[in-house]
Amino acid sequence: MAVCETCGNDYEMAFEIRAQGATHTFDSFECAIHKLAPRCEHCGVTIIGHGHQVEGSFYCCAHCASAASGASTVDHA
Ligand SMILES: [Zn+2]
Ligand SMILES: [Zn+2]
């Protein structure tokens, strides 16, 4: 049995995710995303897909990246 780091649920199907050298335990992907996913620096949305990284900052889409940083990036269609 393992306890979820995000919500504290003790769940027999809990799983581990290794990120940046540390191992984290979660009971659901939602809890893992809540804890580990970066957030868009412009709108605060949780970035679950690839997102955009501009000069060390994460953005959910090209619109936010260019609005916040002035950089011109484009979404992959
Ligand atoms: Zn949880
Ligand atoms: Zn955004």
Side-chain angles (χ1 to χ4, degrees):
M1 299 289 258
V3 176
C4 174
E5 272 183 43
T6 301
C7 69
N9 185 27
D10 190 351
Y11 182 45
E12 63 184 2
M13 299 282 284
F15 55 90
E16 292 183 346
I17 291 181
R18 203 177 302 259
Q20 293 169 355
T23 303
H24 302 273
T25 305
F26 301 104
D27 64 339
S28 67
F29 281 108
E30 181 159 12
C31 287
I33 289 164
H34 181 78
K35 183 100 178 183
L36 298 179
R39 286 180 193 274
C40 175
E41 298 216 359
H42 186 65
C43 70
V45 149
T46 313
I47 302 165
I48 300 172
H50 292 95
H52 288 261
Q53 196 176 358
V54 179
E55 291 163 4
S57 299
F58 288 99
Y59 302 100
C60 66
C61 62
H63 164 76
C64 285
S66 55
S69 72
S72 58
T73 74
V74 290
D75 280 318
H76 294 284

